[in-house]
Amino acid sequence: MKMYARFIAGLLSLILLASCAPADDPQDTAADTTAAVDTTTAEETLDPNLRANHFDSIPEGTKFDGASVVCLFDGNDSFITGKTANLWMYNDLLGTDSIGDPVSDAVWQRNLTTQERLDIKLTWRPSGYTSYSDNRPLFQQMLMSQDASFDFFLATGTTLSYVGMGQYMRDLSHMPHVDWESPWWWQKVNDDLSLDGKTRQFVIGDMLMTNLAQCSVTYFNKALYEDIHGNPDDLYDITLSGKFTVDKLRELSAAAYKDVNGDGARDEGDRYGIVWTQSATSELYGMVVGCGAQTYSRGEDGMIKIDMNHERNITVVEKLTALLHDADAVSRQNLSVRNIATAFTENKMLFSINALTYTASILREMEADYGILPRPKLDEAQEQYFTNVPNSGTLLSVPAYISDKKFEIVGAAWEVLNGEAHRTYMDALWELTMKAKYSRDAQSGKCVDLIYAGLTKDILNEYSNYNTGIIARCLVNPVVDQVDFASKYAESIEAANLKWNESIASLIGATESK
């Protein structure tokens, strides 16, 4: 997804103006802007590379007479009052006009513009809980009782896919006012989320920006790299030429080991290429996706079916096992993912496999320079780098029993909210936050483009409760336990297929309009 740095100054001005000016109807604003620049060419005015020129097709004057639109999200009252550090509420839902952050200010303005343009009242309602174990039964009970106190969900995939049986969720594929081909909808990811290639129960759009921050990447300590391997730019060249593979990561990591404390033993006082959590599962899920593991296919009817018995998956497990159990390259320690990010800032490892979000809170204060790379490929023959959008990210969905009229209003609200996000602040987020604030050099910025160009979802992981966790059983646990893929697949596939085939009809079962 190529970014265009020459537009950033204009985008920043747009955000600053949006945060202090009254919200105008975007159609009126577009007309005024066109009138003001009659002397410019049409090509300059409507440059398709500029997100500000991407408009929705909702007819001018579409109004809903002050209708209420209530979003139920998984969180508690402190998320609304700002007494929590959970900033995704600022970035996805509420925004704020009080902390002086341009993106959060723009989210605040996005909501105001949407309400004024459509004449609706947006309300963000917390579920009261923050844990999956509490939200899942609550959401199920609300859906089963046809609770009319909310109109749509904004919640994590871990929560929604668990409760999202088809009879409870509305099919979004023909949602009024929504154009799924619009650039603010994540088309590849939303297609991945469709169980049958036809219906949609969950979607992601540009308003859900924390999905970007939760994507996992590969950080490297540039000072350590220079000491161990030479010019850090060489690693960028390797990556940009498509040669950053699991084998290359292992090779570079093994050479980084140093007995720092001089006790002759490999322990937590030493320097390693990579430090992972003890279980290593959170890191391995993203690595498996990054390697392009094949886990499912679609039949002629578009239906998802488990499809894992491939030579590629055997190689994925073999290469990741060799990496994880290379005592020079990797150390598994009793640390949280966050604490590993902190250890990275203290020069205790060459590489850190971690989420982009940690750079904002931890790595930004790192004295040594660092670079950002995608997850490694399986091999050089792999056509692109893949980036896993985790199921801890947020999704949009609508309860099945919502009326046609309210369904139309929610559709219009989604299209405007996501379109406003796309036009007014997503470039600033990507160019300034993900590239300039999170990364420290232009080469990292090019790698961030690679990361976002490869955004993908593995639907079997999203619906792991309905396939006996086949991804973990066959592609993650075998790496940790040093078991070959073929034997684990042979003992797991029958139960997984049985569970999946029993579940898929009810999972899809999207209801027709009411």
Side-chain angles (χ1 to χ4, degrees):
M1 199 174 294
K2 191 175 181 181
M3 301 296 123
Y4 295 83
R6 66 181 181 275
F7 299 131
I8 295 309
L11 286 165
L12 278 177
S13 299
L14 180 63
I15 290 173
L16 293 174
L17 287 171
S19 65
C20 60
D24 297 316
D25 187 310
Q27 301 295 332
D28 293 340
T29 302
D32 292 344
T33 301
T34 302
V37 292
D38 280 343
T39 58
T40 63
T41 66
E43 182 178 359
E44 291 174 332
T45 306
L46 299 175
D47 186 339
N49 294 318
L50 183 58
R51 289 173 181 268
N53 288 330
H54 298 169
F55 298 103
D56 62 64
S57 58
I58 297 176
E60 183 178 357
T62 299
K63 303 286 185 181
F64 296 105
D65 302 321
S68 172
V69 178
V70 180
C71 169
L72 180 68
F73 65 89
D74 43 5
N76 56 41
D77 287 335
S78 68
F79 287 27
I80 297 290
T81 60
K83 297 178 181 177
T84 176
N86 197 317
L87 293 180
W88 76 267
M89 288 300 144
Y90 292 144
N91 291 336
D92 284 4
L93 289 177
L94 303 171
T96 176
D97 60 355
S98 62
I99 66 174
D101 178 80
V103 173
S104 292
D105 289 349
V107 173
W108 180 274
Q109 184 62 39
R110 175 203 72 188
N111 293 346
L112 292 178
T113 298
T114 301
Q115 292 180 105
E116 293 184 13
R117 177 179 169 186
L118 298 176
D119 189 15
I120 60 174
K121 171 62 177 175
L122 287 171
T123 301
W124 309 101
R125 175 187 166 191
S127 66
Y129 300 104
T130 58
S131 70
Y132 305 140
S133 59
D134 289 326
N135 279 307
R136 286 170 173 173
L138 173 65
F139 287 3
Q140 280 184 320
Q141 189 277 325
M142 296 178 80
L143 289 167
M144 293 175 67
S145 64
Q146 299 194 7
D147 190 317
S149 64
F150 70 100
D151 303 306
F152 71 93
F153 284 111
L154 194 164
T156 65
T158 306
T159 298
L160 288 179
S161 62
Y162 186 85
V163 303
M165 306 298 281
Q167 65 266 35
Y168 299 144
M169 297 297 190
R170 186 81 178 242
D171 176 17
L172 307 173
S173 57
H174 301 292
M175 196 173 196
H177 299 296
V178 173
D179 178 4
W180 296 117
E181 301 300 313
S182 295
W184 40 86
W185 296 108
W186 294 19
Q187 295 175 33
K188 169 65 168 63
V189 175
N190 290 336
D191 288 345
D192 291 341
L193 283 168
S194 175
L195 287 159
D196 59 0
K198 305 177 185 69
T199 59
R200 299 178 187 269
Q201 293 171 279
F202 312 115
V203 293
I204 297 178
D206 278 354
M207 69 176 285
L208 304 181
M209 69 174 72
T210 51
N211 282 289
L212 300 176
Q214 290 184 350
C215 291
S216 190
V217 299
T218 306
Y219 299 100
F220 74 100
N221 184 309
K222 296 177 73 173
L224 288 182
Y225 190 93
E226 186 169 12
D227 289 344
I228 299 164
H229 296 292
N231 189 348
D233 286 345
D234 293 343
L235 184 51
Y236 287 129
D237 292 339
I238 289 168
T239 303
L240 294 171
S241 63
K243 298 178 181 180
F244 184 54
T245 65
V246 173
D247 287 343
K248 176 58 70 174
L249 177 63
R250 181 186 177 192
E251 172 194 330
L252 296 171
S253 297
Y257 175 75
K258 183 178 181 180
D259 186 7
V260 175
N261 56 20
D263 63 1
R266 288 178 173 81
D267 53 33
E268 295 184 6
D270 296 338
R271 185 186 72 192
Y272 293 88
I274 308 171
V275 174
W276 275 352
T277 57
Q278 191 63 42
S279 69
T281 53
S282 63
E283 296 94 334
L284 284 171
Y285 270 110
M287 294 290 285
V288 165
V289 172
C291 287
Q294 183 170 345
T295 60
Y296 68 89
S297 61
R298 294 186 184 270
E300 293 183 0
D301 58 357
M303 197 78 72
I304 290 286
K305 60 180 180 180
I306 300 172
D307 182 7
M308 297 181 66
N309 193 20
H310 298 281
E311 188 72 27
R312 183 176 193 86
N313 292 341
I314 295 174
T315 306
V316 169
V317 171
E318 289 176 347
K319 286 185 178 292
L320 292 180
T321 299
L323 171 66
L324 181 64
H325 297 279
D326 186 326
D328 287 337
V330 175
S331 174
R332 292 161 62 190
Q333 299 181 12
N334 189 27
L335 296 173
S336 67
V337 173
R338 177 175 287 274
N339 287 339
I340 287 174
T342 300
F344 177 73
T345 69
E346 299 168 350
N347 304 316
K348 294 181 178 179
M349 66 196 80
L350 176 59
F351 294 101
S352 176
I353 309 294
N354 222 317
L356 271 169
T357 184
Y358 287 113
T359 57
S361 57
I362 299 176
L363 270 62
R364 281 177 62 189
E365 305 305 320
M366 184 174 173
E367 293 184 5
D369 282 338
Y370 63 88
I372 301 178
L373 310 173
R375 289 290 184 102
K377 296 179 178 181
L378 178 66
D379 51 41
E380 292 183 25
Q382 185 174 314
E383 292 185 357
Q384 70 175 114
Y385 296 97
F386 293 110
T387 306
N388 180 47
V389 181
N391 57 9
S392 58
T394 49
L395 303 173
L396 295 168
S397 64
V398 172
Y401 49 80
I402 193 171
S403 70
D404 280 350
K405 183 60 180 177
K406 187 54 71 77
F407 192 47
E408 177 190 2
I409 298 171
V410 172
W414 283 9
E415 189 77 351
V416 175
L417 286 167
N418 285 278
E420 284 294 311
H422 178 84
R423 284 187 294 275
T424 62
Y425 60 80
M426 286 306 290
D427 265 334
L429 173 75
W430 286 350
E431 290 287 351
L432 298 176
T433 303
M434 297 302 181
K435 290 186 179 181
K437 186 194 295 184
Y438 281 10
S439 63
R440 298 183 176 186
D441 53 65
Q443 292 283 68
S444 276
K446 292 178 182 179
C447 289
V448 170
D449 283 338
L450 291 177
I451 291 164
Y452 291 128
L455 290 172
T456 188
K457 274 272 193 186
D458 190 315
I459 197 166
L460 294 183
N461 187 34
E462 200 80 12
Y463 285 92
S464 60
N465 296 289
Y466 302 101
N467 56 53
T468 69
I470 190 69
I471 305 298
R473 287 176 179 271
C474 294
L475 292 172
V476 176
N477 297 344
V479 174
V480 177
D481 300 333
Q482 300 187 75
V483 177
D484 66 280
F485 168 82
S487 61
K488 204 64 181 177
Y489 173 82
E491 73 178 43
S492 304
I493 188 59
E494 183 177 355
N497 271 329
L498 180 63
K499 178 72 171 176
W500 185 248
N501 292 336
E502 286 177 347
S503 303
I504 189 96
S506 58
L507 284 171
I508 294 173
T511 57
E512 298 299 325
S513 60
K514 299 272 181 196

